[in-house]
Amino acid sequence: MFLLLLTAGVAAAQLQQFKTVDSPQPDENIDQPCRYEASFPAGNKPVKAAWVTYDRGPDITAFYFDPDVLAFAAKNDLAMVLAHQCPATRTPEKGEMDMYPEHGLGRSLFTALHSLGDESGHPELAQAKLIVLGFSGTGAYFGHFVAYAPKRVLAAILTNPGQSDPDNIDKIKLDEDGVAVPELIIAGGRDNVGGVLKPYAFYDHHRSEGAPWVYLVQNNIPHCCINNTRAFMLHWLQAVIDQRKPDPQRPLLPMDLKSGWYGSIQPCPTPYKDHWGLPLWNVCEAHIERAGKTLPNKEMPSGYFPTEALAREWLAFIKLPDHPKTSFSRPSDPNFGDPTKLNP
């Protein structure tokens, strides 16, 4: 069943909102029908790619209605797709999703894209390449999604990614196609839920295989506040789109790792740990260099940037001693995930 209505969000007041519900198949680990919605900021122009976000709280769901994101989508002929939390039938944590797309959620999303495309008059949505944006558990989920359908993913943005072992982000293994997908991995220096070491281990393992990825730390930020990365996120995505040339009917182009810039970071220890007992840290120094030049050997590799402007924007951001707390995944508990606020 489909519903067509006007969005209630001020930023998207003029956009038609298309909705669909997909029922799980008998062999899938999904507890209930999954809900999806989509809008088309570029109007009737054919869709080149779709930006898919899971509604893991208002901190990330805000991207679906954000004016800057919608303007970016209109400029690049992107559809905006919001996937609602869809719990698993069998999971160690009640109400959580199954982190493996092959257990049902991957099939469900692709079915929803086909249905939303037909209903909206954008049948090309069924084959559109995807930008995937996930926070916390859905950050880990979209890491698994890249392994599941690497040739469909234009770019992956994994923010404060974290999940219970053995489903966590650092356990994901990617093939050559998966490694080639650009990823932006964002971690909070004071996030005891997702931590900084496990996301970095995932980044570093695949960086050594040639992954065109970026690792970005938000200094002194707990499990929240990804909206303060929006400007860099959009600039990074634009650089990726410019190189990969998304088209529903053509393969994505690879990133050119022989040009561009690279970055490195120096961690700054803190007295805090994540819930696995691993140390948390901020970034107290960072550097960038052109491809082919040497970065400080005592620093940790931390990013590939297609342009100098993007590298310098990353450098300016990551060297800020404190990043602003502009949004929260749990507005009623703004200290969630902050080890400095835990009861003794």
Side-chain angles (χ1 to χ4, degrees), residues 173-198:
K173 304 299 182 186
L174 300 174
D175 63 14
E176 183 178 357
D177 290 329
V179 169
V181 175
E183 297 198 15
L184 172 58
I185 301 169
I186 300 171
R190 198 185 288 177
D191 179 4
N192 76 342
V193 177
V196 290
L197 277 181
K198 285 180 178 281

Side-chain angles (χ1 to χ4, degrees), residues 276-315:
W276 292 284
L278 299 172
L280 292 169
W281 39 259
N282 295 310
V283 170
C284 49
E285 187 57 274
H287 292 87
I288 57 172
E289 286 287 358
R290 289 183 184 276
K293 291 193 174 182
T294 303
L295 287 158
N297 58 17
K298 292 184 178 180
E299 292 186 354
M300 300 162 59
S302 194
Y304 160 74
F305 311 96
T307 68
E308 179 180 357
L310 190 64
R312 295 198 179 281
E313 185 177 359
W314 170 86
L315 184 67

Side-chain angles (χ1 to χ4, degrees), residues 10 28 86 123 152 181 234 255 301 326:
V10 174
E28 294 177 339
C86 201
R152 285 292 298 273
V181 175
L234 294 179
M255 303 297 286
T326 55

Side-chain angles (χ1 to χ4, degrees), residues 19 27 80 119 137 150 177 186 268 284 314 320 324 326 336:
K19 297 191 176 186
D27 60 342
M80 296 298 299
E119 182 70 9
D177 290 329
I186 300 171
C268 221
C284 49
W314 170 86
L320 290 173
T326 55
F336 176 66

Side-chain angles (χ1 to χ4, degrees), residues 266-281:
Q266 179 182 330
C268 221
T270 74
Y272 309 111
K273 296 182 178 179
D274 63 26
H275 76 279
W276 292 284
L278 299 172
L280 292 169
W281 39 259

Side-chain angles (χ1 to χ4, degrees), residues 16-50:
Q16 289 182 326
Q17 203 68 259
F18 296 85
K19 297 191 176 186
T20 188
V21 177
D22 177 70
S23 297
Q25 301 299 306
D27 60 342
E28 294 177 339
N29 188 22
I30 303 176
D31 189 48
Q32 63 191 42
C34 299
R35 297 180 296 119
Y36 303 87
E37 53 193 286
S39 65
F40 298 86
N44 293 326
K45 294 177 66 178
V47 167
K48 292 182 179 178

Side-chain angles (χ1 to χ4, degrees), residues 10-316:
V10 174
Q14 303 304 314
L15 291 178
Q16 289 182 326
Q17 203 68 259
F18 296 85
K19 297 191 176 186
T20 188
V21 177
D22 177 70
S23 297
Q25 301 299 306
D27 60 342
E28 294 177 339
N29 188 22
I30 303 176
D31 189 48
Q32 63 191 42
C34 299
R35 297 180 296 119
Y36 303 87
E37 53 193 286
S39 65
F40 298 86
N44 293 326
K45 294 177 66 178
V47 167
K48 292 182 179 178
W51 181 325
V52 182
T53 302
Y54 262 100
D55 66 340
R56 195 77 167 195
D59 193 33
I60 189 168
T61 306
F63 279 81
Y64 181 69
F65 298 105
D66 183 87
D68 292 339
V69 174
L70 294 177
F72 177 86
K75 173 185 175 183
N76 290 284
D77 301 332
L78 306 179
M80 296 298 299
V81 178
L82 184 65
H84 293 271
Q85 177 86 349
C86 201
T89 302
R90 304 174 300 280
T91 180
E93 183 179 347
K94 185 178 180 181
E96 185 56 282
M97 294 164 41
D98 190 311
M99 292 297 117
Y100 294 89
E102 57 267 34
H103 295 167
L105 289 182
R107 191 278 315 157
S108 181
L109 173 61
F110 289 139
T111 300
L113 292 175
H114 192 283
S115 299
L116 290 165
D118 284 347
E119 182 70 9
S120 65
H122 285 279
E124 72 278 7
L125 182 63
Q127 301 300 323
K129 306 303 187 292
L130 308 178
I131 296 166
V132 294
L133 170 65
F135 170 77
S136 191
T138 59
Y141 170 78
F142 275 134
H144 287 280
F145 189 88
V146 171
Y148 170 71
K151 293 183 179 181
R152 285 292 298 273
V153 183
L154 166 63
I157 306 167
L158 316 182
T159 66
N160 298 79
Q163 189 50 248
S164 301
D165 293 331
D167 302 336
N168 204 2
I169 188 169
D170 59 324
K171 304 299 191 295
I172 299 170
K173 304 299 182 186
L174 300 174
D175 63 14
E176 183 178 357
D177 290 329
V179 169
V181 175
E183 297 198 15
L184 172 58
I185 301 169
I186 300 171
R190 198 185 288 177
D191 179 4
N192 76 342
V193 177
V196 290
L197 277 181
K198 285 180 178 281
Y200 185 81
F202 176 59
Y203 162 82
D204 192 49
H205 176 79
H206 295 294
R207 175 203 62 82
S208 65
E209 298 175 341
W213 296 3
V214 175
Y215 179 78
L216 179 66
V217 174
Q218 295 175 284
N219 290 322
N220 291 313
I221 291 294
H223 201 62
C224 73
C225 310
I226 64 171
N227 280 271
N228 70 47
T229 69
R230 180 178 59 246
F232 177 80
M233 185 187 299
L234 294 179
H235 294 154
W236 177 78
L237 279 174
Q238 189 63 64
V240 170
I241 289 171
D242 289 345
Q243 283 207 11
R244 304 207 79 194
K245 309 292 185 188
D247 183 314
Q249 302 303 320
R250 297 179 181 177
L252 290 159
L253 298 178
M255 303 297 286
D256 180 10
L257 296 178
K258 294 181 180 179
S259 63
W261 289 64
Y262 287 83
S264 62
I265 56 173
Q266 179 182 330
C268 221
T270 74
Y272 309 111
K273 296 182 178 179
D274 63 26
H275 76 279
W276 292 284
L278 299 172
L280 292 169
W281 39 259
N282 295 310
V283 170
C284 49
E285 187 57 274
H287 292 87
I288 57 172
E289 286 287 358
R290 289 183 184 276
K293 291 193 174 182
T294 303
L295 287 158
N297 58 17
K298 292 184 178 180
E299 292 186 354
M300 300 162 59
S302 194
Y304 160 74
F305 311 96
T307 68
E308 179 180 357
L310 190 64
R312 295 198 179 281
E313 185 177 359
W314 170 86
L315 184 67

